[in-house]
Amino acid sequence: MNKLNSLGIIGLGKMGSALSENILNNEISLSVFNRYNANEKMVIKNFINKNKKFKYLKGFQNLSQFINSLKKPRNIIILIPTGKIIDKLIKDLIPLLDKNDLIIDGGNSFYKDSIKRENLLKKNEIEFLDCGISGGKEGARYGPSIMIGGNKKNFKRIYPFFKKISAKDLQKKECCTYMGGIGSGHFVKMIHNGIEYGEMQLIVETFSILNLKYSYPEIVKFFEKLNDSVDNSFLLRSTISILKEKKSSKEYVVDEILDEAESKGTGLWASIEGLNFNQSNSVMISSLMARNLSSNKLLRKKYNIKRSSSKLKFDLKHIKKAFYISKCINHYQGIEIIRKAKVDFNWNIDLSEIARIWTNGCIIKSKLMIEISEILKKDENLMNNSKFFNSIKRGEDSLKTTLTLGINNNLALLSFSAAFNYWIAITSENSNANLIQAQRDFFGNHGYKNKKTNTIMNYPWKK
Ligand code: 3PG
C-alpha cells in the first residue's frame, strides 16, 4: 500500500514552495497541490524535480488525489492569495474531507473572514486554524515566525510540525506560539504588518533627511553604525543591502525604481482595526498615507514646485535618537491595539510571547523587539516601563530638531510627524478637546461632561 503523508500544502507560490522545502528538510512527509491552469501547468512538475531527493514528497494537480494521499485526520495548510479564492477552495475541499480533518490558512487573510470560515467549517465538522506566517520567502524557507489562532486542541495537534519549521529565538525557543481564539493568529499578523509599514517608512524618512546632505555610501555608513547599535533590525539591514546595490559604477538600482509605493492590504486593515479599537495608531496610518500619496507620480509631476532649501544644520546624534524613539512609538501603538483586542475578544494572548516570537524569523525582528519582549513580561503597557518612557522623553528634542530640519527643507515626513504629535499629545495633561466638546454641543446638542460636577449636561448656547 502507498504510504500516506503527514502534511499537505495547497499552493506552491513563493511562500508555499519555500515553506514546503522547509517542511521537507525537516523530514516531514509532505503532499503538495497546485492548481492546473495555462500559467501553472509546470508548477508541480518543476517542484518535484527540484526536490526529487525527498522520497516522501508527492505532488498533485488533482484535489481529491491530493486529499487521499494524506494520513487521517488530515492536516492541510493552504497558502494561496487572500480573498474569495480561499472561500472557493474551502467549498471545493468540504465534500472531499472527513470529520476532524484540519485546514490551516497560512496566508494573510483578514481575521474576520477567518472567523466566518471557522464557523462554516465547524458546521461541516472540519477543524480550522488561522495562522500568520511572517518572514517572507526566506523566512518560510529557513524558519518563519508563526502566529496561530483558533482552538487550542488543534494548535497542539499541529505544533509538533510547526515547532520544527519555525525560527528559533536567542534562547533557541521556537518562534511559534498560540495566540488565542479564532481570528487571533491573523489579527496579530495584521498588526505585525502594520508595524512593518511604520518601520519601513521611518527608515525611508531617515534616508531622505540624510540624503539632503550625504551620498548613498555615506548614508550606508551611518545606517551600518546604527545597525551595530540598539537600532539593529532586519529592515535596516535590508535597506543597507539595497542602497549598496549598483547597476554600474555610477548607477544605483534604487534609482531605477519608480517612486510609487504599493501595498497588498494588511497595512490598511491594521490601520482601520486600530481606529476601530479606539486607538491612535498614527505611525502605521501615516506610513500607509505616505504610500498612497506616492502612488500617483503623474499628479505629483503636474503639481511639482521647485523649492529652495534652507541652511542645513546637521547633527547625526539627533537623527539617530529621532529614529529610535519614533520606532518605540510605532511599536507601542501597534502593541496597544493587540492589548485592547485581547480584552475585547477575550483572547488569552501573552503580549511578551508575541514580541518574543517576533524577535526572529519575521520582517520586524530587531534588537528593540528583544527589549520590548522583556519589558512586556513585567507590564503589558510598555509606557508604564520607566526606562522605555524615559528613553522617548530624552529623545523628544532630537525628534523636534530632526523634524524641523526636514520641514525647513521641504520634506514630507509623515511618520516622524505622526510619532512626534502622538508623543506630545499623550504626554500633555491638558488638551483642546473641551472646545471640540463645546462645538459638538453647540450644533448637535451632544452634551459634555462638566469638569466640576462630573455630570453630562447641555449648555443653552447663544446662536
Ligand atoms: C507581506 O505580508 O507580503 C508583506 O509583509 C506586506 O506586503 P505589502 O507591503 O505588499 O502590503
Side-chain angles (χ1 to χ4, degrees):
M1 202 182 87
N2 247 343
K3 269 194 111 181
L4 297 174
N5 282 342
S6 313
L7 268 186
I9 290 239
I10 296 183
L12 285 185
K14 273 181 259 154
M15 287 296 279
S17 48
L19 199 78
S20 297
E21 288 182 1
N22 183 353
I23 291 168
L24 291 167
N25 265 298
N26 279 287
E27 297 174 358
I28 299 166
S29 62
L30 180 73
S31 294
V32 291
F33 168 88
N34 198 80
R35 65 183 173 185
Y36 182 82
N37 65 24
N39 298 327
E40 293 171 65
K41 273 184 190 160
M42 298 303 289
V43 172
I44 286 291
K45 205 165 171 205
N46 290 344
F47 187 80
I48 300 284
N49 270 342
K50 187 175 170 213
N51 294 288
K52 51 178 178 273
K53 67 173 182 202
F54 299 106
K55 299 294 168 231
Y56 40 83
L57 168 66
K58 290 177 191 158
F60 300 90
Q61 285 171 326
N62 174 300
L63 201 54
S64 75
Q65 286 172 5
F66 162 75
I67 298 295
N68 290 328
S69 74
L70 297 169
K71 260 183 225 158
K72 290 186 193 175
R74 303 176 179 96
N75 298 313
I76 300 164
I77 304 171
I78 56 180
L79 276 159
I80 62 173
T82 174
K84 294 256 172 291
I85 181 168
I86 297 195
D87 296 307
K88 158 96 179 54
L89 174 67
I90 289 179
K91 212 167 136 222
D92 292 345
L93 281 170
I94 289 173
L96 303 174
L97 296 178
D98 294 306
K99 193 176 164 181
N100 286 332
D101 284 350
L102 170 63
I103 297 177
I104 302 142
D105 179 2
N108 272 337
S109 290
F110 185 47
Y111 78 104
K112 284 185 182 163
D113 290 337
S114 302
I115 296 172
K116 278 190 213 143
R117 287 171 189 143
E118 198 224 18
N119 286 331
L120 168 77
L121 287 164
K122 209 185 246 161
K123 285 187 195 129
N124 291 277
E125 298 184 285
I126 295 165
E127 305 295 324
F128 182 76
L129 286 174
D130 55 293
C131 173
I133 301 181
S134 176
K137 198 177 160 209
E138 285 288 297
R141 174 63 186 83
Y142 298 104
S145 168
I146 307 177
M147 297 142 253
I148 305 180
N151 177 315
K152 187 124 195 206
K153 187 177 86 236
N154 289 328
F155 165 77
K156 285 188 179 153
R157 167 170 158 189
I158 203 70
Y159 186 65
F161 300 115
F162 280 3
K163 192 179 148 132
K164 287 190 182 169
I165 64 169
S166 64
K168 308 293 174 279
D169 69 10
L170 276 177
Q171 276 70 42
K172 309 256 175 300
K173 226 176 137 192
E174 294 72 31
C175 291
C176 166
T177 199
Y178 181 61
M179 298 287 119
I182 183 67
S184 58
H186 282 150
F187 186 93
V188 172
K189 173 63 178 18
M190 169 186 79
I191 301 301
H192 163 286
N193 282 20
I195 296 174
E196 174 184 309
Y197 277 45
E199 295 298 283
M200 291 166 75
Q201 184 63 22
L202 289 170
I203 293 175
V204 305
E205 289 183 9
T206 308
F207 166 83
S208 49
I209 295 168
L210 292 165
N211 202 214
L212 290 167
K213 181 171 175 184
Y214 297 109
S215 66
Y216 290 3
E218 287 167 331
I219 295 173
V220 163
K221 247 197 193 147
F222 177 72
F223 278 170
E224 280 174 338
K225 249 189 166 165
L226 288 190
N227 206 46
D228 283 339
S229 70
V230 283
D231 289 301
N232 180 291
S233 76
F234 170 77
L235 281 168
L236 187 59
R237 271 200 307 284
S238 310
T239 312
I240 292 169
S241 304
I242 291 167
L243 290 174
K244 281 180 174 171
E245 204 74 47
K246 278 177 141 184
K247 299 272 289 186
S248 65
S249 61
K250 284 200 189 104
E251 293 165 298
Y252 285 91
V253 178
V254 74
D255 290 333
E256 77 166 26
I257 301 175
L258 181 68
D259 53 342
E260 285 186 347
E262 296 176 10
S263 53
K264 289 203 294 286
T266 47
L268 173 63
W269 298 338
S271 298
I272 295 173
E273 285 308 305
L275 294 172
N276 277 338
F277 280 102
N278 221 6
Q279 297 297 298
S280 309
N281 42 322
S282 58
V283 180
M284 70 174 74
I285 294 173
S286 59
S287 63
L288 178 64
M289 280 165 49
R291 289 193 193 193
N292 291 349
L293 273 165
S294 79
S295 69
N296 197 337
K297 176 83 174 176
L298 282 179
L299 206 70
R300 288 189 288 120
K301 199 171 167 185
K302 185 173 158 197
Y303 298 142
N304 186 48
I305 297 174
K306 287 243 173 316
R307 299 176 177 97
S308 53
S309 53
S310 74
K311 257 189 139 197
L312 298 180
K313 231 181 126 219
F314 253 82
D315 187 337
L316 292 176
K317 274 199 310 294
H318 286 314
I319 297 175
K320 177 179 163 52
K321 270 195 196 157
F323 178 58
Y324 178 73
I325 74 163
S326 300
K327 289 189 303 175
C328 290
I329 292 168
N330 180 39
H331 281 73
Y332 174 65
Q333 291 180 346
I335 289 165
E336 278 296 283
I337 304 174
I338 306 176
R339 192 163 76 89
K340 188 81 198 343
K342 77 175 232 180
V343 177
D344 281 29
F345 286 115
N346 205 12
W347 287 334
N348 190 16
I349 309 181
D350 184 340
L351 294 187
S352 77
E353 261 298 278
I354 295 179
R356 184 191 66 75
I357 67 159
W358 287 349
T359 60
N360 202 8
C362 70
I363 304 293
I364 57 173
K365 62 183 176 186
S366 66
K367 251 202 176 131
L368 178 61
M369 195 64 82
I370 298 173
E371 279 178 28
I372 285 176
S373 157
E374 287 305 312
I375 297 172
L376 290 170
K377 277 184 192 163
K378 295 177 206 119
D379 194 320
E380 295 213 322
N381 183 341
L382 280 174
M383 287 289 184
N384 285 347
N385 181 279
S386 55
K387 198 175 151 226
F388 187 82
F389 183 90
N390 287 330
S391 71
I392 303 179
K393 190 173 153 200
R394 278 196 303 274
E396 183 185 302
D397 283 343
S398 293
L399 181 50
K400 202 189 294 174
T401 310
T402 303
L403 256 178
T404 311
L405 171 68
I407 289 167
N408 283 341
N409 287 283
N410 313 305
L411 292 179
L413 300 173
L414 279 83
S415 292
F416 270 132
S417 313
F420 180 74
N421 287 319
Y422 178 87
W423 172 251
I424 296 297
I426 57 150
T427 53
S428 300
E429 183 180 347
N430 295 319
S431 78
N432 46 21
N434 50 336
L435 189 51
I436 294 281
Q437 286 300 79
Q439 289 168 332
R440 291 177 70 245
D441 192 52
F442 184 91
F443 63 73
N445 216 30
H446 293 299
Y448 61 87
K449 193 187 263 180
N450 184 302
K451 276 199 290 201
K452 282 192 193 131
T453 60
N454 210 21
T455 52
I456 308 291
M457 58 185 286
N458 293 105
Y459 190 81
W461 304 100
K462 288 183 208 73
K463 294 184 183 173

